[in-house]
Each structure stands twice: as structure tokens, then as C-alpha cells.
Amino acid sequence: MKILLILSMLLATVLCVNEGYRKFINQHVKGDMSTTRCNSEILSRSISKTNSNECKETNTFIRATTNTIKSICERAGEPYGDLTKSLQPFSIVVCTLRNQGARHPRCEYRGQDRTRRIAIRCEGGLPVHFDRDIVYFEN
């Protein structure tokens, strides 16, 4: 009976992490993202503030493959508080809301190219939350 309980708890944890990973990919990964596609990508992916139809103030897209981003959780990242920071910079597009207080589907964004290290939350070896981009300076 204990084994069954432990297995069901383990399965629930795995499913929860996988759901967080899928959400992360949907909200933040687009290898060929451009600054002019913020509106269409955010609308087509149904990205909004959590549990509402309010427009998200800012959304960042990482121009990379899922495997490259996943490697931050394994060998290509370092601790950053309770997050993991990438060792290398990434090309990103930061989409910032232009029409404050708007609701879906009327969100209008301005995109900006950046090259930054990124801080993400990893669970079970997978990225589940994008926290911020970090300005870096080369030595």
C-alpha cells in the first residue's frame, strides 16, 4: 500500500513538472522570433496574466532550441538564488505591452532585441519558469 502511495505521488510530481515545462516552452521559446511578431505570437499562444484575460505586461521569447535551454538546468547553468542562471548569453526578444490595461485579444506589444544571460527556475531537470534576463559584461 505504501509503495502504491509513493508511486502515485511520484507520478503526480512528474505530471506537474511536465505541465510547467510545456507552459514554459509555449510562453518563452521561439527560435526564429522577431521583434515585429510580438502581437501575433502572444495572441496565437494565448499568453496572458495568470488566471485572467488581462494582457501580460512583459513576455520574453528566447531564440534557442528547447534542448539548448534545457541544458541550463543540467550543465550550462549556475545557481542564482533559488534559480539557475545561464553561463552563456542568449538572443532574446522582450515584448512590452504598449496599451496598459488592455484585455485579450486587444494586447499591443513593442518588441526589443537583447542579448542577455537568463535566469530560470528548474524542476526535475526541466525549465518551468522564466524569471529575468541579466545584463552581462565580458571580461
Side-chain angles (χ1 to χ4, degrees):
M1 189 61 141
K2 282 185 178 181
I3 292 174
L4 188 57
L5 179 61
I6 291 169
L7 287 175
S8 61
M9 289 173 58
L10 182 61
L11 179 61
T13 302
V14 168
L15 291 175
C16 197
V17 168
N18 284 336
E19 182 179 320
Y21 176 61
R22 283 192 300 273
K23 182 178 178 184
F24 175 87
I25 297 302
N26 179 64
Q27 287 190 334
H28 300 293
V29 180
K30 178 78 173 147
D32 62 347
M33 183 63 182
S34 75
T35 58
T36 60
R37 293 197 352 235
C38 287
N39 291 340
S40 60
E41 284 299 321
I42 289 172
L43 181 63
S44 70
R45 294 170 181 234
S46 300
I47 298 170
S48 63
K49 281 188 180 176
T50 303
N51 300 323
S52 77
N53 68 342
E54 292 178 49
C55 302
K56 196 172 176 185
E57 297 289 323
T58 304
N59 194 76
T60 302
F61 289 97
I62 307 163
R63 291 177 173 144
T65 65
T66 54
N67 284 337
T68 301
I69 298 165
K70 195 170 21 172
S71 72
I72 297 168
C73 297
E74 299 160 351
R75 65 194 172 285
E78 62 187 4
Y80 186 71
D82 64 339
L83 305 170
T84 303
K85 176 173 60 172
S86 65
L87 296 175
Q88 298 298 317
F90 281 81
S91 174
I92 60 175
V93 174
V94 179
C95 301
T96 307
L97 186 64
R98 294 186 332 189
N99 56 338
Q100 299 299 315
R103 295 186 174 275
H104 274 286
R106 293 184 176 79
C107 308
E108 294 178 17
Y109 291 88
R110 176 180 45 87
Q112 182 182 30
D113 281 317
R114 293 183 186 167
T115 301
R116 301 279 199 274
R117 291 174 73 178
I118 59 174
I120 60 176
R121 177 167 295 110
C122 298
E123 291 179 8
L126 297 172
V128 296
H129 173 72
F130 178 89
D131 194 75
R132 66 179 67 109
D133 60 87
I134 304 164
V135 176
Y136 75 101
F137 299 98
E138 290 188 42
N139 295 336

